[in-house]
Amino acid sequence: MIWDIDPVAFSIFGFHVRWYGLVYLLGFWIALKYGFHLQKKILSHPLSKDKFESLTFGTFFTGIIGGRLGEFIFYYPETFLSNFLQIFKVWEGGMSIHGGIIGSFLYIMWFARKHNIAMLRITDIFALPLAITLILGRFANFINGELVGISTGTDWGVVFPHIDDQLRHPTQLYESAKNLILSGVIFFSFSKGAGKKVGMLTTLFLLGYGVMRFIIEFWKESTDVFLGLNTGQILCIFMIAGALWIVFRERWWSKKETSRQKIL
């Protein structure tokens, strides 16, 4: 297969609207609408519509900022130091999910303190909407012809002409499938009552995403950073560590129902 996809979905008065941008809008809508439904089942005292909209907008906006900063700090620190204004050229692409999670996490921490809500309760609300959005996000990466994999001789390899004429692993689609599996696991767990346990949905997201992406990174075109691991894998290790921290912090197996109001 030869990659030949126009990343521009449509144009209005000369302004190009890209598929990647549409994914962001759809992701916000999923978090806003589906998240509002989920919070009614996760929070003991659900937020009003206005408060939830404020939470969603703040989480989304800080996630975008964190994702953009993370892209340059984690992957292109030399550009971050020498040409800081490059960060604002969002139309050129580049977003770190790890940076986005950090940015959103900081806002959620502030929101939780302000409204006296368990922080992990809030992150539980957005675990499934985020996983669903990432399915589309990675497919959009494929449409953009970015984040390509290493060369392969497999029948499902894809040639990205703007890079070279080699068949490469379509790791964007691997990750899209990974996020589909992750969404299924979180949804199934939620349907079985996992939403009642503080931080469990968050743990499933961090652990599932961290482990599966760590593996997929071996097929990505990247540069080793430390002990044969690339930047993405190192960041995934921190995600996995965060998930394990929540597990040992909450110890769901040792209590029937948590009554803690603040988790920091």
Side-chain angles (χ1 to χ4, degrees):
M1 175 181 177
I2 298 178
W3 177 91
D4 183 21
I5 307 174
D6 188 352
V8 176
F10 57 88
S11 298
I12 301 179
F13 303 116
F15 178 76
H16 299 311
V17 178
R18 295 175 176 268
W19 291 108
Y20 201 74
L22 293 177
V23 167
Y24 279 102
L25 292 177
L26 182 58
F28 178 76
W29 184 84
I30 292 173
L32 188 64
K33 299 299 182 181
Y34 190 35
F36 186 71
H37 167 73
L38 292 175
Q39 65 112 14
K40 294 179 180 179
K41 298 184 177 182
I42 292 176
L43 298 180
S44 56
H45 300 288
L47 297 170
S48 66
K49 184 177 180 181
D50 288 343
K51 281 187 177 180
F52 187 77
E53 288 178 351
S54 177
L55 168 63
T56 303
F57 179 79
T59 301
F60 183 81
F61 183 69
T62 52
I64 295 295
I65 294 175
R68 193 64 179 163
L69 286 172
E71 175 72 9
F72 286 90
I73 294 174
F74 296 146
Y75 297 98
Y76 305 103
E78 66 284 350
T79 301
F80 179 79
L81 296 174
S82 64
N83 187 16
F84 183 79
L85 294 180
Q86 185 70 24
I87 293 176
F88 298 101
K89 298 180 180 180
V90 294
W91 58 88
E92 294 184 2
M95 196 72 67
S96 165
I97 179 61
H98 298 97
I101 289 175
I102 293 173
S104 294
F105 177 85
L106 292 175
Y107 176 80
I108 289 174
M109 180 184 293
W110 171 82
F111 188 94
R113 285 177 178 270
K114 180 180 179 180
H115 296 281
N116 194 33
I117 304 173
M119 184 181 67
L120 290 179
R121 281 296 193 198
I122 298 178
T123 56
D124 283 342
I125 294 171
F126 293 115
L128 183 53
L130 177 57
I132 294 173
T133 301
L134 289 174
I135 298 172
L136 304 174
R138 286 312 186 195
F139 191 75
N141 288 142
F142 179 75
I143 291 176
N144 284 347
E146 58 192 7
L147 305 179
V148 301
I150 59 176
S151 299
T152 178
T154 59
D155 294 335
W156 60 84
V158 177
V159 175
F160 295 90
H162 58 292
I163 297 178
D164 53 34
D165 59 356
Q166 299 183 46
L167 284 170
R168 292 179 174 275
H169 282 283
T171 48
Q172 314 96 324
L173 301 183
Y174 297 173
E175 288 217 47
S176 189
K178 171 258 292 180
N179 294 324
L180 177 61
I181 294 172
L182 181 60
S183 299
V185 170
I186 295 175
F187 178 81
F188 176 79
S189 300
F190 178 76
S191 68
K192 295 298 181 179
K196 297 178 181 179
K197 299 182 182 297
V198 177
M200 183 168 282
L201 298 180
T202 301
T203 298
L204 288 173
F205 177 86
L206 292 175
L207 187 62
Y209 186 96
V211 170
M212 288 191 285
R213 178 168 171 180
F214 182 92
I215 295 171
I216 293 174
E217 286 289 326
F218 285 112
W219 287 285
K220 272 189 181 179
E221 188 72 58
S222 60
T223 303
D224 292 345
V225 175
F226 182 69
L227 296 178
L229 302 179
N230 61 37
T231 301
Q233 289 174 313
I234 293 173
L235 292 172
C236 282
I237 290 176
F238 282 102
M239 289 185 75
I240 296 170
L244 296 178
W245 179 83
I246 296 174
V247 170
F248 288 105
R249 180 87 157 90
E250 286 306 308
R251 300 179 184 275
W252 303 296
W253 61 88
S254 66
K255 51 187 175 184
K256 293 182 179 180
E257 190 75 24
T258 181
S259 60
R260 185 179 301 146
Q261 294 301 308
K262 284 187 177 182
I263 299 175
L264 301 175

